[in-house]
Amino acid sequence: MKGEPQTILLAHGSGGQLSHELVERVFVRHFDSSILAELNDAAIVEFGGFNFHVPGSTNLQPETDNLKLAFTTDSYVIQPLFFPGGDIGKLAVCGTVNDLAVAGAEPRYLSAGFIIEEGLLLETLERVVVSMAETARAAGVQIVTGDTKVVNHGAADGLFINTAGVGVVPPGVHLSPSNLRPGDLILINGTIGDHGMAVMMQREGMEFGSSLVSDCAPLNGLIADLLAACPGAVHCMRDPTRGGLVTTLNEWATAAGAGIEIEETAIPVREEVRAACEVLGLDPLYVANEGKVIVAVAPQVAEEALAALQAHPLGREAALIGQVTDEHPGRVVLHTPLGARRVVEMLVGAQLPRIC
Amino acid sequence: MKYIDEFRDPALARRLLEDITRRSTRPVQFMEFCGGHTHAIFKFGLRQMLPPTVRLSSGPGCPVCVTSATDLDRAIALAGVPDAILATFGDMVRVPGSRGSLQEARSRGADVRVVYSTLDALQIARQNPDRPVIFLGVGFETTAPTVAAAVLQAEEEDISNFYVFSVHKLTPPATRAILDAGEVRLSGIIGPGHVTTIIGADAWRFLPDDYGMPCVVAGFEPLDILRTVAMLVEMAEEGRPAVRNAYGRSVRAEGNRTALKIMYRVFEVGVADWRGFGPIPDSGLVLREEYTHRDATRVFPVEIAPPAAEPKGCRCGEVLRGVVEPPECPLFRRVCSPRTPVGPCMVSAEGACAAYYQYGEET
């Protein structure tokens, strides 16, 4: 293999270790920005020394002299375009709204870029766009700018969408893995793996999983309720999309230099998801979510935080799943139902069904 | 979840562990042949729960891992046949041959597709009648019948562009090879549950008969494996080797006759090249003479260079034979990780090295 020019592998896009390395070695290195280097879901950019008021904001005081904005972008290249519980358009809006919301921001404005393969049915495009509009309305954001490109047949797979978004970070809100402290409790707003398994079942035409529905949803309402219920006590949030719960927790453990312990029996998993994972030999801990948020809170407010999540329609099945510890820094340890403990590592590439 | 939760019951697991601890008076070492067992044992943290007298070691039962570098080099060459689509199971695309992997071939333009079943590959052949579709068939007796069924289906529908590169392997001959080599002292074999569902528990009779070795066929849930260990401890303590079946909800003494019939209609037994072992006679499945028009290696004779030397320091071969544990390999975690696998045992989720890495017990 030596001497061959290195090529990009599909695994570089899977959200696992290879993706991380690509980002570090190519993008972070050349773009050379301290804000980018934090590698958060959304960049927090500050505009200092101003004295202005953002129209429509309820949280910003007119006298605020530092405006903090969260800014993020994401591209959506999924197949199939439509799946139970959502479609590429809903996903493109939710994904960007959620990346802003978990940074503690109130999402406001989105852009939408479309790369369309010639031959796509106009009706298909319109269905996707209507879905985006509905989702944006539900999330209380506006899509205010966009771009359209059409490429030759074969140069794209039907439809790719890029969205970017900005949101306003209320004063006093600072969320980051560096806030994690030993003793912090970790919550999640519901069941894991619904999105990944729903898409996989649809894509592979597996009938036994036909009752699975993606959890794809905008989380900004839920997160606003949570932040209001325990101001200052939410230390970090992240939406565990590609790579699933364990990948995100590993990112936290590494970034914070802290250990994380999770309790397998406490993690909510829908029965159908468990069954589909069992059949395929997959682990729901690594399966993608599109409507979930992991929250680290100070232990004193855990009950209030859990109650706030459970009071929201998107958090009814919220649960306390783990804790930050000063032991085994950088590692995530799972307690199995049988009483064993094991390290759960980040995945390298995509999870693959077993052969035998 | 029905049929799952019952077999993960913590109270019953504790009772089985107490039973094992009480019965086990002298050191024993059992080998789980199957990579699925290795994965389950690590996933559920079973090794750390067993008493110190009971050691488990991993065997060669990861179909991806035992695929030889030469066979992979040949698969990569077949992927380069003009217009060809090479379809295979997921893990295979990541396994290093002696000069790169299928995923690297794909990134350079080869059309390599991951499928979940052989029938998906057949479907690709239906949809692309002008292109040769080559299915790289890996796996043991569990997967081979499904590949055979796809070949028969292709015959019936006259899908002339569907070919198979068979690197299927049989499990009993590899188990014999391990015992004949005598490199590892074993007190019992944990029989592969899925394979034995096909071949039948009777296929393991040679273990007690020829080697005085107890064998218990096991399922893949924690209680299945603990019960198996308890039964093996009992036989080892009493010195009464036999084949016993701890996976009765799936495995019968005679196996699945229908699957075996289909398998042997399409394949016949031949030599197979195992990574870590080399060629083992009568341990592989090759397409029968009447299906040579489906045999990718015959229809597309590709040139492959002699395999490059095995990577220096890689002890996959010994790991596959159960001679060393992955952490004893000088490359483990240092050079070799799932991201940059040197040997195949680090690639597949069923590989012992990957299981150690992914589910490493807390140290």
Side-chain angles (χ1 to χ4, degrees), chain A residues 312-337:
Chain A
H312 193 278
L314 295 175
R316 290 223 172 86
E317 293 168 277
L320 168 64
I321 59 167
Q323 188 159 26
V324 179
T325 163
D326 50 8
E327 290 167 42
H328 51 81
R331 311 199 94 174
V332 180
V333 169
L334 177 85
H335 297 222
T336 76

Side-chain angles (χ1 to χ4, degrees), chain B residues 175-260:
Chain B
T175 313
R176 260 186 200 281
I178 287 172
L179 296 173
D180 288 341
E183 292 174 298
V184 46
R185 276 184 69 89
L186 293 176
S187 331
I189 301 280
I190 298 176
H194 294 146
V195 162
T196 311
T197 302
I198 306 295
I199 66 175
D202 284 348
W204 297 103
R205 281 214 177 145
F206 71 92
L207 287 171
D209 292 353
D210 300 353
Y211 298 90
M213 182 69 61
C215 172
V216 178
V217 179
F220 295 84
E221 295 301 323
L223 292 192
D224 289 319
I225 295 167
L226 290 175
R227 181 160 166 247
T228 299
V229 171
M231 289 162 80
L232 282 171
V233 165
E234 187 190 324
M235 281 195 276
E237 289 285 334
E238 292 175 358
R240 280 189 301 165
V243 174
R244 291 170 70 184
N245 181 4
Y247 196 26
R249 64 188 187 280
S250 176
V251 170
R252 284 171 294 175
E254 73 280 10
N256 182 334
R257 291 236 166 96
T258 311
L260 287 171

Side-chain angles (χ1 to χ4, degrees), chain B residues 259-294:
Chain B
L260 287 171
K261 215 169 109 188
I262 291 172
M263 184 171 99
Y264 284 116
R265 204 171 128 196
V266 174
F267 295 110
E268 60 192 354
V269 172
V271 66
D273 193 11
W274 292 64
R275 204 180 293 228
F277 294 80
I280 303 178
D282 299 334
S283 73
L285 292 172
V286 293
L287 283 161
R288 284 185 180 278
E289 202 58 38
E290 56 192 294
Y291 298 106
T292 44
H293 58 287
R294 301 275 174 199

Side-chain angles (χ1 to χ4, degrees), chain B residues 117-128 133 157 159 162:
Chain B
S117 122
T118 322
L119 294 176
D120 295 343
L122 198 58
Q123 183 61 19
I124 294 174
R126 280 191 202 100
Q127 289 162 351
N128 298 274
V133 174
E157 291 182 40
I159 303 170
F162 178 73

Side-chain angles (χ1 to χ4, degrees), chain A residues 55-77:
Chain A
S57 166
T58 48
N59 277 17
L60 262 191
Q61 306 300 316
E63 64 270 23
T64 298
D65 60 1
N66 259 358
L67 175 69
K68 278 209 292 186
L69 288 182
F71 180 31
T72 190
T73 184
D74 209 337
S75 300
Y76 299 84
V77 295

Side-chain angles (χ1 to χ4, degrees), chain A residues 220-267:
Chain A
N220 51 331
L222 171 95
I223 287 172
D225 288 359
L226 171 73
L227 290 174
C230 27
V234 175
H235 291 168
C236 189
M237 286 190 279
R238 192 58 77 81
D239 51 336
T241 52
R242 244 177 356 178
L245 174 67
V246 158
T247 300
T248 302
L249 291 177
N250 268 289
E251 287 166 357
W252 279 9
T254 307
I260 292 176
E261 308 238 329
I262 50 173
E263 199 65 54
E264 192 170 350
T265 49
I267 301 166

